[in-house]
Amino acid sequence: MDAFANLIGQDRAVQFLWQAVKLNRIAPAYLFYGAVGIGKKIAVKSFAELLLTANLPFDKQLKAIKKIRAKQHPDLLWVQPTYLHKKELISVDRAMEQNLSFKTAPKIRIEQIRDITRFLTRHPLEASRQMVVIESTQTLTEPTANALLKTLEEPGNATIVLLALDKDLLLPTLVSRCQHVQFYRLSESNLATILQREGYSEILEHSELMEIAQGSPGQAIASWQQLQQIDRDLLRQLLQPPQSPLEAFKLAKTINAELDLTAQLWLIDYLQNYYWQQGATRETIEHCETARQYLNGHVQPRLVWECLLLSLVNNKLTINSHVRLGN
């Protein structure tokens, strides 16, 4: 099972996929589902290595594996949700590379489904089959999902893998056409093993980040990276509830000016977990949850933060310890 050597804590999924390859019973379509950051992408790349390097000489296998890991194999089409930017579709990865930010969430679009159809009309170039991976399938609109149905039914000499958070977020007609492979949140020991292996052992000292992660190494690392980007002075002020309305208004203004929406949503999660660990009342936690809902609902962010921070002014929460913030 060397192809799955880097996948920790997903033994059921590994065994299922390995048996499918060993017995040559590859389904036309699979649905990999589970929380963010627990190994679905690692698993699908490993699965692709097995499928797209079958029967190749050893030297060609190594070259093919490098292309697969870089998502550059000619018989692998990797589809990500996209943003619409200046009449051009921009993938999530490309948006991050170019430091682009958007007010709307990315999604899989009908144009991308047409690209999949065109990709599958040609014969494989280097492998014995083709493979299509669609990330965040839960972002499909109903018309786009319906356009994908026919391809799932008749993919030809190809395997299609859908990645999603939960199968209940997809159209039942899509779900029924796939073999299901569930991925589970990791145990504390497996989570620690991965963080140490990837050079993020310092995260283990931050209980609030581990709480946010909820068994997801990817979430833990993303939270750690987000924490490094937030101004330390600002964070120190937020860890102590504001003492006056004026202080609350100033903090809200700073947050709105310095952080984009993604960072603000993460900060709500961070503060909610931190306050809870410090003995916050249920009312405080509910205020944080309401603020998250308003931010997701496109309410003016500065107003959302003003309301949240004002609700904390008279809060009797006492902070008895401090998070290690580093330099």
Side-chain angles (χ1 to χ4, degrees):
M1 297 188 184
D2 290 345
F4 294 99
N6 289 327
L7 189 61
I8 294 176
Q10 303 296 348
D11 294 345
R12 291 184 185 178
V14 169
Q15 186 64 30
F16 179 83
L17 296 172
W18 186 257
Q19 283 295 108
V21 173
K22 182 179 179 181
L23 299 175
N24 195 27
R25 294 179 180 174
I26 309 301
Y30 291 87
L31 170 60
F32 289 12
Y33 67 98
V36 172
I38 57 176
K40 298 190 298 295
K41 291 182 185 178
I42 295 175
V44 77
K45 282 189 178 182
S46 300
F47 194 37
E49 289 176 19
L50 292 175
L51 297 187
L52 300 182
T53 65
N55 304 319
L56 290 178
F58 182 71
D59 59 332
K60 290 187 176 181
Q61 281 188 353
L62 293 179
K63 291 179 181 179
I65 287 172
K66 288 182 180 179
K67 292 178 182 178
I68 291 166
R69 292 179 179 176
K71 302 178 186 176
Q72 295 176 348
H73 193 288
D75 298 317
L76 171 65
L77 180 62
W78 197 289
V79 181
Q80 283 190 325
T82 56
Y83 301 98
L84 186 59
H85 180 62
K86 296 180 179 179
K87 298 183 179 181
E88 181 184 0
L89 297 185
I90 304 290
S91 70
V92 171
D93 282 351
R94 188 174 164 194
M96 291 179 63
E97 290 171 1
Q98 298 181 10
N99 292 319
L100 298 174
S101 59
F102 299 87
K103 293 183 178 180
T104 57
K107 62 182 179 181
I108 303 295
R109 302 169 191 270
I110 191 71
E111 296 92 334
Q112 294 175 278
I113 303 302
R114 293 175 185 142
D115 288 341
I116 293 171
T117 302
R118 285 191 287 269
F119 174 79
L120 295 177
T121 57
R122 67 165 175 78
H123 295 292
L125 298 177
E126 295 182 7
S128 59
R129 66 167 66 231
Q130 294 169 300
M131 189 167 180
V132 176
V133 178
I134 305 177
E135 286 188 36
S136 302
T137 312
Q138 69 275 358
T139 66
L140 287 164
T141 62
E142 186 170 347
T144 307
N146 286 329
L148 179 61
L149 281 175
K150 183 174 176 58
T151 302
L152 285 181
E153 292 172 345
E154 301 175 6
N157 187 25
T159 298
I160 300 175
V161 181
L162 310 182
L163 306 183
L165 297 177
D166 193 315
K167 61 183 180 180
D168 292 337
L169 298 174
L170 306 181
L171 284 180
T173 47
L174 279 182
V175 175
S176 66
R177 285 162 174 76
C178 301
Q179 288 269 11
H180 303 168
V181 185
Q182 185 172 5
F183 289 74
Y184 299 90
R185 293 184 180 275
L186 275 61
S187 66
E188 287 188 15
S189 60
N190 282 333
L191 177 57
T193 296
I194 292 176
L195 293 178
Q196 290 166 346
R197 183 188 71 186
E198 300 299 321
Y200 289 98
S201 57
E202 192 169 359
I203 295 176
L204 300 172
E205 301 174 22
H206 292 258
S207 59
E208 73 286 355
L209 296 184
M210 295 295 286
E211 184 66 26
I212 291 173
Q214 288 289 299
S216 167
Q219 287 284 77
I221 293 170
S223 288
W224 172 254
Q225 293 170 339
Q226 188 68 69
L227 180 63
Q228 307 314 302
Q229 295 175 19
I230 293 181
D231 180 81
R232 289 296 179 267
D233 288 336
L234 173 61
L235 191 57
R236 286 189 180 95
Q237 292 178 68
L238 287 167
L239 294 184
Q240 295 283 348
Q243 301 302 304
S244 69
L246 179 59
E247 184 181 346
F249 285 128
K250 287 182 177 179
L251 278 173
K253 181 179 179 180
T254 302
I255 292 169
N256 186 58
E258 295 185 3
L259 305 179
D260 62 19
L261 182 59
T262 298
Q264 290 184 34
L265 286 167
W266 176 84
L267 184 57
I268 290 287
D269 282 341
Y270 182 87
L271 293 175
Q272 188 175 36
N273 279 283
Y274 180 77
Y275 290 158
W276 180 255
Q277 290 180 17
Q278 298 302 320
T281 64
R282 185 168 183 173
E283 184 180 12
T284 295
I285 303 306
E286 289 174 350
H287 284 314
C288 290
E289 187 60 36
T290 300
R292 185 205 334 275
Q293 293 172 6
Y294 283 143
L295 287 176
N296 278 318
H298 307 295
V299 175
Q300 212 286 327
R302 181 171 173 177
L303 177 61
V304 173
W305 282 101
E306 286 176 351
C307 292
L308 174 60
L309 295 173
L310 283 172
S311 74
L312 301 179
V313 169
N314 297 319
N315 193 292
K316 296 181 180 179
L317 172 64
T318 300
I319 305 298
N320 296 314
S321 61
H322 296 278
V323 171
R324 292 177 63 251
L325 299 178
N327 297 324

